[in-house]
């Protein structure tokens, strides 16, 4: 499955929503991303059929929906995956995993230091 860069934002949002659920990095969350053609009505139909809640579009991505699995199950049984693959309007889908975000360390001093002190760099 090939996903566009904006799905990284969705992954981060899913991370934040599931951070307090006691999950560890690499754990599956209750969030899924689906690319479904046919609009909101088709996405709602598929969500209902497979016991998901359609949380709406992911940002401004065309036809990409955020689904939450009903209940607490974070597994993905083979029967569910096979059934979803056979849905005509489901183009791609991905069960979201928890990913830890670690900030990059700052190298050097982040504030410019001039003869007048931090952030007081003389204009030229």
């Amino acid at each position: 499955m090939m996903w566009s860069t904006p799905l990284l934002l969705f992954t981060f949002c899913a991370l934040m929503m599931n951070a307090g659920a006691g999950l560890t990095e690499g754990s599956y969350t209750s969030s899924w991303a689906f690319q479904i053609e046919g609009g909101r009505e088709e996405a709602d139909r598929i969500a209902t059929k497979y016991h998901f809640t359609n949380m709406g579009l992911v940002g401004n991505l065309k036809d990409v929906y955020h689904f939450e699995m009903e209940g607490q199950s974070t597994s993905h049984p083979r029967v569910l995956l096979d059934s979803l693959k056979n849905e005509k309007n489901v183009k791609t889908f991905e069960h979201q995993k928890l990913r830890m975000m670690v900030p990059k360390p700052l190298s050097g001093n982040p504030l410019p230091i001039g003869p007048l002190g931090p952030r007081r760099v003389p204009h030229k």
Side-chain angles (χ1 to χ4, degrees):
M1 284 178 239
M2 192 65 185
W3 294 99
S4 60
T5 304
L7 278 181
L8 293 176
L9 176 61
F10 172 71
T11 301
F12 177 72
C13 291
L15 163 92
M16 297 310 293
M17 290 186 316
N18 291 289
L23 301 173
T24 58
E25 183 172 10
S27 297
Y28 284 104
T29 68
S30 60
S31 296
W32 292 67
F34 280 82
Q35 185 175 16
I36 300 172
E37 291 181 345
R40 177 73 185 227
E41 295 80 20
E42 181 65 9
D44 287 341
R45 182 191 71 77
I46 291 169
T48 301
K49 180 176 179 179
Y50 294 101
H51 306 288
F52 287 97
T53 301
N54 182 358
M55 306 302 287
L57 286 168
V58 176
N60 61 355
L61 298 176
K62 185 178 187 312
D63 298 330
V64 178
Y65 294 88
H66 172 201
F67 283 11
E68 283 288 326
M69 182 174 275
E70 294 176 1
Q72 294 299 316
S73 176
T74 55
S75 64
H76 48 250
R78 176 64 49 200
V79 174
L80 173 64
L81 298 178
D82 290 342
S83 297
L84 287 168
K85 288 177 185 176
N86 291 327
E87 286 286 342
K88 182 178 91 172
N89 290 331
V90 175
K91 298 307 173 194
T92 57
F93 59 90
E94 180 176 290
H95 195 173
Q96 300 298 295
K97 285 186 176 183
L98 189 65
R99 295 190 179 115
M100 297 300 176
M101 310 277 292
V102 179
K104 292 181 180 180
L106 297 174
S107 59
N109 191 335
L111 300 175
I113 306 282
L116 304 174
R119 293 190 183 192
R120 293 188 176 193
V121 178
H123 298 293
K124 296 184 178 173

